[in-house]
Amino acid sequence: FSEFNAWRKNQLLAFYGGIKDRIADLPSALARNKVTKYRDYYFMPQFEIGQRELIDLHHYTYVMDMISMGVNKKELATMVADVNKHLVYHIYFSQNNRNNYHKMMKTDQFVSARKYMNVFLETFLTVSWFTEFVALGFADMNPREKEINSMTQTVFYSIDLMRGFGYRQEYEFEKEAINQMARTTIRRYDATFAQQSVDKPYRVVIPIGLGFTYSKYNTLMHFLNVAATYWANPDVNNIQVFGKDVRTLLAISCQKIFFAPGHGSGYYHYGPLEVGYYGRPSQDLAVTQRSGVVTPSVANSGAQRNTLIVTDRVYEYSYLRGILRGLFERAGGRRVKSDNSVLNLLLLSLQLDFGLFDEYAGLLNIPFMQDLQHEADTRELQVEIANMIYDFDRKHTENKIMRSHVEGLIFEVSYKFLVNKGFHVKDEMFKIISTLNTDSDYQEYVLLVKIYMSLCSINKSVEVDYYKMKVDGSYNIVIPSNYSKKTSAYLENITSNHSFAVHDGIMTYDGIQVYDLRPHQPEINLYKIKLEPNGDTQSMVKYIEITNAFQAISTNEQYLIFIADNVILVDICEDGNMKVRINKVDAQASAMFFNEAISFIPCFKFTEGDDVIIFTSKNMHFLVDKGGQFCPDYYGMKHELMECIESLEVFSDLNDDPKCKNEKLCNLVTESKVTVYFPDYLLLVTSRQQLINLLDYAVYIRNLGLFILVLFQLKRVSFKLEYRERDPQTRKIVQITGPWKEAILYVIKPSVVKDREHYDDIFNKQFTNLKEHKDLPLREFIEELCDKFKRYQRQVDGEYQIIPREKQKRFLERIITGEECFHFSEVGSGKTKVIMPLLCQIFLSNNTDAHKHLSRGGKKKDTLIILVPEHLLPDAKAQVYRHCLNLNFRDEYKIYDDILYLLHEEFKLGGQKMIFVTSFNQFKKILTFEGVCRKVMPHREKMLVVADEVDDFLDRDKLVFNICSNKANSFDRATVEYFHECSQAAYHGTGHRGKAYESSPNPTYWKELHAKFVAINAEIQDASKSLNKSFGVFNEQTLRHCTTDIAHDIEGYKALIARPFQSVNRAMPGSYYSDVERTIFLTFVILSEDTSKYDELFQNERKFITFEYWKEFLPELDYDELVYGHDRISEVVERHPRMAGGLIRFMYGIILRRMEVRDTSRSVNSVDIIFNFDTIGFTGTPFLDNYPTSDYIRRGRFDDIP
């Protein structure tokens, strides 16, 4: 009945606005008519009483049940009929005739049919109604269907008619579908609704100990008394008040409430009803017990007897609210002293349900409430509670208890009574309670879920829509008056990447006021602005529309826009013109003609200069003028071009394992900013991402010239680009066509394109030609390169910002020609911004003299690997991209910013020049893969490694990169016994007993192992006062002699396994070597010295102690108490010290079988790299110039290494 009644109230909530006035006088009408029959059965759960609508509908469901059972009260009957007259226009009824029962009766027809209408007015939604009519409909209903019929809506059918038709076969689909629903439903449905009577009596019994709240300490009044008495006591906690049984907390937090302000005592006694059915009694309203009947058991006329078992109190709302108000008033405005979360959350729950939250929320000692923007705001509180529940679920995954489970339990306990007898152990609720009792942390979780259910009722929302914005370094929850999901995602992203602040409730950015957060539900809006290009130059883009703009509230017309970590400020002047500032520098929207390749594109031009910025963002939209033409082959294809191009991408999964995956370019588009410098206007990008964004931008604005130029460069930085000309499934639908197809062919297969020479003349000018200097001497070639290098730099006052100095030219020459490998140049000499880009350009050239020196006495190099420290990697990538992508028109070479491409089976070294830009550790990591080594080692003579900050690369503390993967062990029983014998002998100093290992296949191993264990044991004795730093997981007792170099592994404690490790260079999580034998011995040490650490594990495993084991090793202990008891292993050892050895032996075997052992280990050293590859490098730190490298090995040198 509780579920049935909750369903009825939820159904009526949808129509509450229409019936509100009809049931407004219901409490007074009940008092006037003195209707009290069975009213004690109709109590409300505490979590519902915070919503006025649910209270009104709860009273109404009681009234309509009484009227349907024949209570003769004209005023109440009229009220029910009036409500049903409103509902009849929202319900669908069948024709209920044998020939056309699949057709729906018109509402007017139903109203005029007294046979149905009179029953409807008196009994709709009551048990009586559902014994006459059954609602049938498809579970997956589509309310957007244009046609409303019995296949798209739930329809009421006569139950007598459907009993007869349920097993008939029809040839019409609608009839057969309805028959099928009746066939699978009617029998179970009939058993659910029993006959009821208003004259059914019951007797009352008070069995001692049956009710869980029989004890005075398990009642709400006891808790309120404790709260009042110990309000100023900071030490009171939930375990002292409730104990560890979560049922006590459930009984106190899930009260049953009734509404009768004039009630004499303020409560009545109630409990489960035992209903007799022909010798098979069942209990209604008892937790974990199901009657299977919807009819209220007090009115069930089919039962032989009804017995009320008194177990608890049901409180009157006003009475309990008055007690709570008195409690908070007596606090005198003082905050409760105890910070125990469970006690405070229980008080919060009572405040919310009884309407005292706004007035007394400040009395609670709950930290997260004090951090809310408005402390007594229930919507903000609901968001915070939901986040706490989510965090708890994320951290506690071992028991698989979810919020939905606890919500179901709270519903059950709120509508029913907890009993000590007849608790069904196989019931789902019993399993949930048992799981909650395993961890006291779940008491807080139960209250969080209970509070969340109350807040859902109070706020009339299952989920509160809110914006999460980072302000002043921390995230704030803002509940707006108007919510948008897209706005929510955008605000969270932007405020996380930019510094917003709050002053006096006003949210600001760089002094610009954007939102007033002082109201409880502020207006949070983002705006759309339109920018028209200035000047006479026209393009196909007529204007730029930018969305997600912030409007400043401090001035009339000022907008703030964030694109690619840049800030654009737009002011609307009085004359209607717009003033644009980009990062506080004046600029204007413009359509620029750069050259024949990049022409007429919408961009931003600085007012006091000629440099141009191209922004690409999904928040920027361009109105493209189609010029009156509608040819889809030119201005846009049926399929977006970016969806038809795929790229092979590499990424690391959650386990840090590299993976390769084909991605459509449209899924890789983000936002970016590209600056094009005057006067050369070369397209210079600093990342592959910028090229993808520009390609999408070129397609959007229909600019084929820009598309071709970007595609040339994107091809050079991509391992594999695939163009889906036809649909990959059907192979019939053409997806790439028109000039877009011609442009792609021009880039990847120019021989098939007409007028190729004409286009080559245009695009050749955008590339720097280095082939014309093939025969120049190196010094002259460097001079030519440095002269061309200026084109890549910004020009200020007619001068280029960066011009290679003479000293830099000579240093570059010395790096290439010098016999020593590593070179020193002072800090700030331009090694990253000048030397490295020039070195890459020299490598990509065909200059004979340069490549002779770069070969370092070996083969000609075709692969260059740039190694830099992790913190310099983004800048190094940017410089290489910027200076090396537009060299030698149509030359085939590759520049990769991720060396993980080597893992792909199709990737091959050689055939064309390649440059990899990567970090020290990433290069070492890739060489730990055997497949990569098989590719690299035969080709290494043609590879040149360039190390920036080479002193850091060869730092002795960072030399080695290790990877160790573990696997579960396969120790058999005999091996575990040998390990125990060896560990025990070494620990107690009894010497090696060779006879114990005679049956072992390798007795010598155990003798050597014993010697090792003895040495390890000597390390940790008091005399040494030291501990080897390769120890791992220990506690304060074991590490009492150590002060430094100890690695504590908290997760290791949870796994109950000591895992010492030797960390050489922890470059990546998990890069360590595990000494399994040391771990095995130290586990025995911990078991012997700190047995209490294994109390929890022993409790879980004690049931596996066999009778034979007990008889041999633990005879002094009681077997049943040992196996089935609750004493901790530490307590047993303390009482029976002679049995410690047997208990340790048992636990030792359990732990060893759980321990992981090393599977494979891989290690790469910086010295390995310089001995296996030709390596050059430079640094700003004084360093050994003639460090020995692979050239020593190649020449077979035997002279002394300095």
Side-chain angles (χ1 to χ4, degrees), residues 868-892:
V868 296
E870 194 73 38
H871 69 281
L872 294 179
L873 186 59
D875 193 25
K877 289 179 180 179
Q879 297 303 324
V880 174
Y881 270 118
R882 179 183 174 83
H883 295 90
C884 299
L885 283 180
N886 57 354
L887 302 177
N888 301 336
F889 180 58
R890 289 207 179 275
D891 254 18
E892 295 292 333

Short mmCIF file of all heavy atoms in Angstrom, two decimals, residues 868-892:
data_model
loop_
_atom_site.label_atom_id
_atom_site.label_comp_id
_atom_site.label_asym_id
_atom_site.label_seq_id
_atom_site.Cartn_x
_atom_site.Cartn_y
_atom_site.Cartn_z
N VAL A 868 64.33 17.39 -25.08
CA VAL A 868 64.34 18.54 -24.18
C VAL A 868 63.72 18.12 -22.85
O VAL A 868 62.98 17.12 -22.77
CB VAL A 868 63.53 19.72 -24.76
CG1 VAL A 868 64.18 20.24 -26.03
CG2 VAL A 868 62.08 19.33 -25.00
N PRO A 869 63.99 18.84 -21.76
CA PRO A 869 63.30 18.54 -20.50
C PRO A 869 61.79 18.75 -20.64
O PRO A 869 61.33 19.48 -21.53
CB PRO A 869 63.91 19.55 -19.51
CG PRO A 869 65.18 20.00 -20.14
CD PRO A 869 64.97 19.91 -21.62
N GLU A 870 61.03 18.13 -19.76
CA GLU A 870 59.57 18.16 -19.85
C GLU A 870 59.04 19.59 -19.86
O GLU A 870 58.11 19.92 -20.60
CB GLU A 870 58.97 17.38 -18.68
CG GLU A 870 57.50 17.05 -18.83
CD GLU A 870 57.25 15.96 -19.86
OE1 GLU A 870 58.05 15.02 -19.94
OE2 GLU A 870 56.26 16.08 -20.60
N HIS A 871 59.63 20.48 -19.04
CA HIS A 871 59.09 21.84 -18.93
C HIS A 871 59.39 22.68 -20.17
O HIS A 871 58.75 23.72 -20.39
CB HIS A 871 59.63 22.52 -17.67
CG HIS A 871 61.11 22.82 -17.72
ND1 HIS A 871 62.06 21.85 -17.49
CD2 HIS A 871 61.79 23.98 -17.97
CE1 HIS A 871 63.26 22.39 -17.59
NE2 HIS A 871 63.12 23.67 -17.89
N LEU A 872 60.35 22.28 -20.98
CA LEU A 872 60.67 23.03 -22.20
C LEU A 872 60.01 22.45 -23.45
O LEU A 872 60.14 23.02 -24.53
CB LEU A 872 62.19 23.05 -22.41
CG LEU A 872 63.03 23.81 -21.39
CD1 LEU A 872 64.50 23.72 -21.74
CD2 LEU A 872 62.59 25.27 -21.31
N LEU A 873 59.30 21.32 -23.30
CA LEU A 873 58.76 20.63 -24.47
C LEU A 873 57.76 21.48 -25.26
O LEU A 873 57.86 21.55 -26.49
CB LEU A 873 58.12 19.31 -24.02
CG LEU A 873 57.63 18.40 -25.13
CD1 LEU A 873 58.78 18.02 -26.08
CD2 LEU A 873 57.02 17.12 -24.54
N PRO A 874 56.76 22.15 -24.64
CA PRO A 874 55.83 22.96 -25.44
C PRO A 874 56.53 24.03 -26.26
O PRO A 874 56.20 24.25 -27.44
CB PRO A 874 54.90 23.57 -24.38
CG PRO A 874 54.99 22.65 -23.21
CD PRO A 874 56.40 22.15 -23.21
N ASP A 875 57.53 24.72 -25.67
CA ASP A 875 58.24 25.76 -26.40
C ASP A 875 59.07 25.18 -27.54
O ASP A 875 59.12 25.74 -28.64
CB ASP A 875 59.13 26.55 -25.43
CG ASP A 875 59.66 27.84 -26.05
OD1 ASP A 875 58.99 28.35 -26.97
OD2 ASP A 875 60.72 28.30 -25.63
N ALA A 876 59.70 24.04 -27.30
CA ALA A 876 60.51 23.41 -28.35
C ALA A 876 59.63 23.00 -29.52
O ALA A 876 60.00 23.20 -30.70
CB ALA A 876 61.24 22.20 -27.77
N LYS A 877 58.49 22.40 -29.25
CA LYS A 877 57.57 22.02 -30.33
C LYS A 877 57.14 23.25 -31.12
O LYS A 877 57.09 23.22 -32.37
CB LYS A 877 56.35 21.32 -29.74
CG LYS A 877 56.61 19.94 -29.19
CD LYS A 877 55.32 19.35 -28.62
CE LYS A 877 55.55 17.95 -28.05
NZ LYS A 877 54.31 17.39 -27.47
N ALA A 878 56.80 24.31 -30.40
CA ALA A 878 56.33 25.53 -31.08
C ALA A 878 57.40 26.08 -32.01
O ALA A 878 57.10 26.48 -33.15
CB ALA A 878 55.93 26.57 -30.03
N GLN A 879 58.66 26.10 -31.59
CA GLN A 879 59.73 26.66 -32.42
C GLN A 879 60.00 25.80 -33.65
O GLN A 879 60.22 26.33 -34.76
CB GLN A 879 61.01 26.81 -31.59
CG GLN A 879 60.91 27.78 -30.42
CD GLN A 879 60.49 29.17 -30.85
OE1 GLN A 879 60.87 29.65 -31.92
NE2 GLN A 879 59.68 29.82 -30.04
N VAL A 880 59.97 24.48 -33.49
CA VAL A 880 60.21 23.60 -34.64
C VAL A 880 59.08 23.72 -35.64
O VAL A 880 59.29 23.81 -36.87
CB VAL A 880 60.39 22.14 -34.16
CG1 VAL A 880 60.48 21.21 -35.36
CG2 VAL A 880 61.63 22.01 -33.29
N TYR A 881 57.83 23.72 -35.17
CA TYR A 881 56.69 23.89 -36.08
C TYR A 881 56.79 25.23 -36.81
O TYR A 881 56.57 25.32 -38.03
CB TYR A 881 55.38 23.83 -35.29
CG TYR A 881 54.80 22.45 -35.15
CD1 TYR A 881 54.65 21.86 -33.90
CD2 TYR A 881 54.39 21.74 -36.26
CE1 TYR A 881 54.11 20.59 -33.76
CE2 TYR A 881 53.85 20.47 -36.14
CZ TYR A 881 53.71 19.91 -34.89
OH TYR A 881 53.18 18.66 -34.77
N ARG A 882 57.08 26.26 -36.07
CA ARG A 882 57.06 27.63 -36.59
C ARG A 882 58.07 27.81 -37.71
O ARG A 882 57.79 28.48 -38.71
CB ARG A 882 57.34 28.58 -35.44
CG ARG A 882 57.39 30.03 -35.80
CD ARG A 882 57.75 30.84 -34.55
NE ARG A 882 57.95 32.23 -34.88
CZ ARG A 882 56.97 33.12 -35.00
NH1 ARG A 882 55.73 32.73 -34.79
NH2 ARG A 882 57.22 34.37 -35.30
N HIS A 883 59.24 27.19 -37.58
CA HIS A 883 60.33 27.47 -38.53
C HIS A 883 60.55 26.38 -39.57
O HIS A 883 61.35 26.59 -40.49
CB HIS A 883 61.64 27.68 -37.76
CG HIS A 883 61.64 28.89 -36.89
ND1 HIS A 883 61.23 28.85 -35.57
CD2 HIS A 883 61.99 30.18 -37.15
CE1 HIS A 883 61.34 30.06 -35.04
NE2 HIS A 883 61.80 30.89 -35.97
N CYS A 884 59.88 25.24 -39.43
CA CYS A 884 60.23 24.11 -40.30
C CYS A 884 59.10 23.57 -41.17
O CYS A 884 59.34 22.67 -41.98
CB CYS A 884 60.79 22.95 -39.46
SG CYS A 884 62.29 23.38 -38.55
N LEU A 885 57.89 24.08 -41.04
CA LEU A 885 56.79 23.51 -41.81
C LEU A 885 56.70 24.07 -43.23
O LEU A 885 56.10 23.44 -44.09
CB LEU A 885 55.45 23.74 -41.07
CG LEU A 885 55.17 22.82 -39.88
CD1 LEU A 885 53.83 23.16 -39.25
CD2 LEU A 885 55.19 21.37 -40.32
N ASN A 886 57.22 25.25 -43.43
CA ASN A 886 57.08 25.86 -44.77
C ASN A 886 58.42 25.94 -45.49
O ASN A 886 58.79 26.96 -46.05
CB ASN A 886 56.44 27.25 -44.66
CG ASN A 886 57.23 28.18 -43.76
OD1 ASN A 886 58.19 27.75 -43.12
ND2 ASN A 886 56.84 29.44 -43.72
N LEU A 887 59.14 24.82 -45.47
CA LEU A 887 60.41 24.74 -46.19
C LEU A 887 60.24 23.87 -47.43
O LEU A 887 59.49 22.90 -47.42
CB LEU A 887 61.50 24.13 -45.29
CG LEU A 887 61.79 24.83 -43.96
CD1 LEU A 887 62.83 24.04 -43.18
CD2 LEU A 887 62.25 26.26 -44.18
N ASN A 888 60.95 24.23 -48.50
CA ASN A 888 61.08 23.37 -49.69
C ASN A 888 59.73 22.86 -50.17
O ASN A 888 59.28 21.77 -49.84
CB ASN A 888 61.99 22.18 -49.38
CG ASN A 888 63.37 22.62 -48.93
OD1 ASN A 888 63.83 23.72 -49.25
ND2 ASN A 888 64.04 21.75 -48.18
N PHE A 889 59.07 23.66 -50.97
CA PHE A 889 57.75 23.33 -51.52
C PHE A 889 57.75 21.93 -52.13
O PHE A 889 58.61 21.58 -52.93
CB PHE A 889 57.38 24.38 -52.56
CG PHE A 889 56.03 24.17 -53.19
CD1 PHE A 889 54.88 24.12 -52.42
CD2 PHE A 889 55.92 24.02 -54.57
CE1 PHE A 889 53.65 23.94 -53.02
CE2 PHE A 889 54.69 23.83 -55.17
CZ PHE A 889 53.54 23.79 -54.37
N ARG A 890 56.81 21.14 -51.71
CA ARG A 890 56.55 19.77 -52.17
C ARG A 890 57.61 18.76 -51.74
O ARG A 890 57.58 17.61 -52.17
CB ARG A 890 56.36 19.70 -53.69
CG ARG A 890 55.05 20.30 -54.16
CD ARG A 890 54.56 19.70 -55.45
NE ARG A 890 53.29 20.27 -55.86
CZ ARG A 890 52.09 19.87 -55.44
NH1 ARG A 890 52.03 18.89 -54.56
NH2 ARG A 890 50.99 20.43 -55.86
N ASP A 891 58.53 19.14 -50.89
CA ASP A 891 59.45 18.14 -50.33
C ASP A 891 58.67 17.24 -49.37
O ASP A 891 57.79 17.69 -48.64
CB ASP A 891 60.58 18.84 -49.56
CG ASP A 891 61.88 18.77 -50.35
OD1 ASP A 891 61.80 18.52 -51.56
OD2 ASP A 891 62.95 18.99 -49.75
N GLU A 892 59.02 15.96 -49.39
CA GLU A 892 58.36 15.01 -48.50
C GLU A 892 59.20 14.82 -47.24
O GLU A 892 60.27 14.20 -47.28
CB GLU A 892 58.16 13.66 -49.20
CG GLU A 892 57.21 13.70 -50.39
CD GLU A 892 55.77 13.96 -49.96
OE1 GLU A 892 55.41 13.63 -48.82
OE2 GLU A 892 55.01 14.53 -50.78
#
